[in-house]
Amino acid sequence: MSFNLPADSRLARKDFLFGVATASFQIEGAAYEDGRTESIWDRFCATPGKVLGGDNGDVACDHYHRWPQDLDMIRKLGFDAYRFSIAWPRIEPQPGVWNQAGFDFYDRLVDGMLERGIRPVATLYHWDLPQYLGDRGGWVNRDTAYRFADYADQITRVLGDRVESYATLNEPWCAGFLSYRLGIHAPGLKDDRLGFQAAHHLLLGHGLALPAMRANAPKADHGIVLNFTPAYPATDSAEDRAAADYSDEENSHWYLQPLLTGEYPLAVRERHPEWMPTVYPGDMEILARPIDFLGINFYTRAVVKAGEHSDYESIPQDAPKTDIGWEIYPQALTDLMTGFKARYDNLPPIYISENGAADNTPVVDGVVDDQMRVGYYDQHLNAVHNAIEQGVDVRGYFAWSLMDNFEWAEGYSQRFGIVHVDYDSLVRTPKRSSAVFTDWLAQRR
Ligand code: FCB
């Protein structure tokens, strides 16, 4: 059994990159080993009521100890590349103190990939901010952007061109808005103005980091990973259509437009001057430093109507959903990318850096028959194919995730892996979906 894509699809060519993705906090465990110190996510997990079931990252998938076996698994499944992230508190456990044991871990991990013929794709910040920076305001504090640039310099100096692609940040919308504005992710603040300020400092940190990254890894590609949940109007009314457009300005273009044009979207600046961040002269030029690729993380869409007391309101849909409750709507992935191509004349090459489904099918007689996930991947790979047919330059696709892991505020309750993890024994069991990928990958030309 394989995916149903046209035989002549761009995705069926061996030069279209297929990978699996994970993130440090979600899989590593070994939370306080070899000098790692607390991150804002360790603190958030320890705060009652923040994470489902009081779950934490102390052990997670124990990848810190089991990485050779995990890399063997990636190779066996037949993927070309592995997108992983680096835990800042392993590298810089105290301000300005660089931890050799932290560098050594990622050094071994990257060499381990190269030995197995797996192409390393790194993300420098996937949300595990050192708690000592959290204590000083986290991303609301402008200084954090400069601290990030120092850390990016140090780690890329060590890993250099062995990593072929570096993303500065994963999903600044989540690290900014979800964390400081909506209160769902660490540190759990609920303040519009602080959300916008945190977002600005994240993007500033991204831009500040780029020159040293390029100097340390001149042959690598350097970019960023953004997440998008495009909004569709609940009805055809002019009000609802305007609400959907506005939602996209605030949640999608707020992050993408400054990177490509050096300006934040006017629609948001005009409507909400009271939320606008403090921006220093010269900042926007830093944000707009050229990038080699855009990573897109896509899971679902939103359906919105004009709110009575807000700019837009989400309307729950009576439609197929994954187990986490996110609507399955692959057309939005095609629309999103063709829309970007129409709006930005300097859109860089795109990688789908995350896409996948929570499907909590259990192990039965040693088998995980996750048919819903298989269908989800099939539909979304076709959505990528369709965007390419319409002229979008997509170069690769990463499944989220290699294995079940710590799903942030949802704890271990939601399983996104194509490999099952038993959290008692830590045994890994490849699911049906991973076998479908393996078949697909083997028949490419
Ligand atoms: C994304 C995150 C990733 C994972 C998926 C399900 O927002 O980047 O870490 O949790 O969602």
Side-chain angles (χ1 to χ4, degrees), residues 2-258:
S2 188
F3 293 119
N4 291 304
L5 282 153
D8 62 349
S9 174
R10 179 84 178 72
L11 279 68
R13 277 173 31 191
K14 278 201 172 127
D15 61 349
F16 186 91
L17 197 69
F18 269 95
V20 278
T22 65
S24 48
F25 191 82
Q26 295 178 275
I27 64 164
E28 284 180 358
Y32 300 101
E33 244 175 88
D34 292 340
R36 181 188 179 278
T37 54
E38 192 185 19
S39 75
I40 58 171
W41 268 96
D42 296 289
R43 180 68 62 90
F44 200 62
C45 292
T47 310
K50 298 298 187 192
V51 173
L52 199 70
D55 291 347
N56 62 45
D58 287 2
V59 177
C61 305
D62 195 35
H63 171 76
Y64 191 79
H65 300 113
R66 292 164 199 253
W67 64 267
Q69 157 191 355
D70 291 336
L71 295 186
D72 287 345
M73 194 162 68
I74 296 172
R75 176 157 95 163
K76 207 165 152 215
L77 293 177
F79 285 95
D80 310 315
Y82 176 39
R83 175 173 177 244
F84 65 106
S85 85
I86 291 154
W88 185 349
R90 287 196 197 282
I91 301 300
E92 191 183 7
Q94 323 272 343
V97 176
W98 306 101
N99 177 27
Q100 192 55 45
F103 290 111
D104 289 348
F105 173 68
Y106 296 104
D107 211 46
R108 287 194 297 269
L109 187 68
V110 166
D111 282 343
M113 288 180 228
L114 296 174
E115 281 160 19
R116 290 167 178 82
I118 302 166
R119 293 157 69 173
V121 172
T123 300
L124 301 187
Y125 183 73
H126 201 127
W127 310 349
D128 34 10
L129 186 74
Q131 180 60 41
Y132 60 78
L133 292 179
D135 292 341
R136 303 175 193 169
W139 287 105
V140 171
N141 185 341
R142 185 178 171 93
D143 187 56
T144 299
Y146 293 87
R147 302 283 68 78
F148 173 73
D150 281 354
Y151 150 69
D153 179 15
Q154 294 287 334
I155 186 67
T156 55
R157 213 175 271 223
V158 170
L159 300 181
D161 281 328
R162 283 179 295 157
V163 167
E164 69 179 63
S165 156
Y166 286 100
T168 51
L169 308 176
N170 178 70
E171 302 191 351
W173 182 91
C174 288
F177 285 3
L178 200 58
S179 302
Y180 293 86
R181 188 182 183 204
L182 303 172
I184 314 268
H185 278 186
L189 300 192
K190 278 189 194 165
D191 183 303
D192 290 311
R193 172 83 179 58
L194 295 183
F196 277 86
Q197 191 65 62
H200 180 67
H201 291 153
L202 280 151
L203 297 180
L204 180 66
H206 152 83
L208 286 170
L210 284 172
M213 291 167 67
R214 288 198 187 280
N216 295 335
K219 292 201 207 106
D221 282 339
H222 300 277
I224 190 168
V225 169
L226 303 182
N227 63 302
F228 301 103
T229 301
Y232 289 73
T235 73
D236 223 18
S237 74
E239 292 76 20
D240 289 353
R241 278 188 281 132
D245 286 345
Y246 177 77
S247 168
D248 284 343
E249 294 298 320
E250 194 181 288
N251 295 296
S252 297
H253 298 292
W254 191 263
Y255 290 87
L256 181 55
Q257 185 177 303

Side-chain angles (χ1 to χ4, degrees), residues 26 126-127 170-171 297 299 354 400 407-408 416:
Q26 295 178 275
H126 201 127
W127 310 349
N170 178 70
E171 302 191 351
N297 291 357
Y299 291 92
E354 286 180 26
W400 182 273
E407 180 45 33
W408 309 110
F416 276 90

